[in-house]
């Protein structure tokens, strides 16, 4: 049977095996997809072992996305821009790398009927998650894409990669002066219990607040948005399933149905 893995450290909580097993069952694909914990200095060796053992592909999560990028013989344009890879495809002795986080985010926003075209988007954060979604957001022709980050220089470095007047980098304080239609939280602030320095007024002016973080409880950012009556309030579970669907399609050519998988995952969270 064709072998697939998700590599990470830690990896025990990964939902990817469940998601891909559901996609494989839907489309009657013979696929063995498992999670594998990898020691920090063993990533390349582990990938080579998988290739030697009928490996057809792998997902890569923290902290190996940059190492995976460096290992690839060929890369998609969006992976080159992100500087990171979450999907590996092994074929004819070569390793191809792509990043599907942006597809996952955009498909989830569109599934919720959020209009991206001609919208003013604020992306909070400039880490791996933010970098991975910029190209996909720009492909939707927003009116503007603004990246705000605690460390401004990191947001500026991302914006400079794109020869596009529609993208700019600002501080959190600057967000007070501008209004946005869509606010996407790609920081890990919620995980450490910190709240985001985004004012009620900025949130209130938007029609969509999206948090890449997901879990049993709503994040502080989404709670704030709900209290302020924002129309679309969305967590990152759909992005997770959407990025997995895009990986599955790269491996098999089949576009799986995300809805039933998302429903089961949501039920498992509650
Ligand atoms: P990184 O560590 O690469 O980046 C973290 C980002 O959060 C940086 O921009 C950092 O700012 C910012 N940040 C951290 N703490 C604070 C704070 N207290 N106040 C303001 N900003 C803060 O993480 P990732 O980019 O890889 O991941 C970010 C989040 O996205 C994680 O919570 C992750 O779980 C989630 N994610 C969800 C996915 C999904 O499928 N739903 C996919 C990928 C990620 P600074 O640069 O100043 O340090």
């Amino acid at each position: 049977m064709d072998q697939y893995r998700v590599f990470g450290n830690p990896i025990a909580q990964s939902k990817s095996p469940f998601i891909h097993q559901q996609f494989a069952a839907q489309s009657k694909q013979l696929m063995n997809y498992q999670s594998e914990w990898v020691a920090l200095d063993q990533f390349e060796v582990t990938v080579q072992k998988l290739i030697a053992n009928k490996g057809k592909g792998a997902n890569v999560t923290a902290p190996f996305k940059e190492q995976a990028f460096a290992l690839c013989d060929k890369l998609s344009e969006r992976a080159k821009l992100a500087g990171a890879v979450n999907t590996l495809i092994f074929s004819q002795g070569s390793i191809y790398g792509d990043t599907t986080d942006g597809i996952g985010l955009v498909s989830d926003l569109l599934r919720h009927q959020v209009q991206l075209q001609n919208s003013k988007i604020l992306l909070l954060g400039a880490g791996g998650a933010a970098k991975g979604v910029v190209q996909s957001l720009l492909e939707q022709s927003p009116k503007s894409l603004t990246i705000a980050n605690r460390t401004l220089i990191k947001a500026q470095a991302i914006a400079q990669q794109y020869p596009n007047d529609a993208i700019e980098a600002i501080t959190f304080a600057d967000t007070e002066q501008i209004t946005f239609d869509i606010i996407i939280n790609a920081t890990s602030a919620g995980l450490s219990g910190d709240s985001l320095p985004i004012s009620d007024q900025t949130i209130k002016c938007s029609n969509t607040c999206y948090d890449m973080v997901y879990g049993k409880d709503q994040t502080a950012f989404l709670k704030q948005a709900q209290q302020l009556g924002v129309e679309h309030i969305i967590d990152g579970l759909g992005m997770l399933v959407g990025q997995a669907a895009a990986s599955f399609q790269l491996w098999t050519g089949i576009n799986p149905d995300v809805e039933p998988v998302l429903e089961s995952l949501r039920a498992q969270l509650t």
Side-chain angles (χ1 to χ4, degrees):
M1 202 186 286
D2 292 343
Q3 299 294 316
Y4 294 86
R5 295 288 180 276
V6 54
F7 296 126
N9 179 347
I11 196 67
Q13 302 305 318
S14 174
K15 312 260 183 255
S16 294
F18 174 80
I19 297 171
H20 283 283
Q21 283 152 16
Q22 299 295 306
F23 288 162
Q26 267 180 20
S27 53
K28 301 195 175 25
Q29 292 291 299
L30 285 176
M31 167 186 272
N32 180 16
Y33 185 113
Q34 290 173 26
S35 61
E36 184 168 343
W37 179 90
V38 180
L40 295 179
D41 60 351
Q42 292 296 306
F43 180 70
E44 183 168 353
V45 176
T46 309
V47 171
Q48 295 301 349
K49 243 189 241 167
L50 175 60
I51 294 172
N53 286 300
K54 294 192 176 172
K56 286 282 191 278
N59 283 131
V60 182
T61 187
F64 298 116
K65 288 183 180 181
E66 283 82 10
Q67 282 190 53
F69 175 85
L71 197 61
C72 290
D73 303 303
K74 284 186 219 151
L75 291 158
S76 68
E77 279 312 306
R78 53 180 180 245
K80 282 183 201 164
L81 283 162
V85 151
N86 79 342
T87 306
L88 296 172
I89 302 167
F90 312 129
S91 173
Q92 297 171 341
S94 107
I95 305 178
Y96 177 78
D98 201 347
T99 177
T100 61
D101 283 341
I103 301 175
L105 171 69
V106 166
S107 63
D108 197 34
L109 283 162
L110 296 177
R111 211 173 55 79
H112 284 89
Q113 292 171 359
V114 173
Q115 186 183 320
L116 294 167
Q117 196 180 13
N118 230 10
S119 288
K120 294 199 281 175
I121 304 176
L122 172 62
L123 180 62
L124 304 172
K131 262 191 240 173
V133 301
V134 168
Q135 173 65 15
S136 297
L137 288 171
L138 287 174
E139 283 168 8
Q140 296 300 311
S141 309
K143 187 169 192 180
S144 61
L145 176 60
T146 304
I147 307 176
N149 195 44
R150 184 175 58 180
T151 313
L152 178 61
I153 193 166
K154 287 200 213 164
Q156 287 168 332
I158 299 177
Q160 276 160 15
Q161 279 184 287
Y162 295 84
N164 192 325
D165 288 345
I167 182 166
E168 63 167 349
I170 62 172
T171 63
F172 281 115
D174 292 336
T175 61
E176 298 293 310
Q177 322 301 325
I178 316 170
T179 59
F180 303 95
D181 303 308
I182 301 168
I183 306 177
I184 300 167
N185 180 25
T187 76
S188 50
L191 295 178
S192 53
D194 296 334
S195 58
L196 284 167
I198 294 294
S199 74
D200 283 358
Q201 191 53 33
T202 305
I203 291 177
K204 227 189 214 156
C205 290
S206 70
N207 62 49
T208 301
C209 285
Y210 193 104
D211 202 324
M212 289 193 189
V213 174
Y214 54 84
K216 185 168 164 289
D217 301 314
Q218 214 171 33
T219 62
F221 169 58
L222 293 189
K223 269 187 201 146
Q224 191 181 354
Q226 187 145 44
Q227 279 157 10
L228 293 166
V230 173
E231 185 185 353
H232 301 283
I233 292 165
I234 314 167
D235 74 7
L237 196 65
M239 174 178 171
L240 176 78
V241 181
Q243 61 78 29
S247 296
F248 189 85
Q249 188 168 24
L250 285 168
W251 294 325
T252 64
I254 295 164
N255 185 13
D257 185 1
V258 298
E259 294 293 344
V261 181
L262 194 45
E263 255 175 53
S264 332
L265 272 180
R266 185 72 68 197
Q268 288 172 25
L269 285 183
T270 50

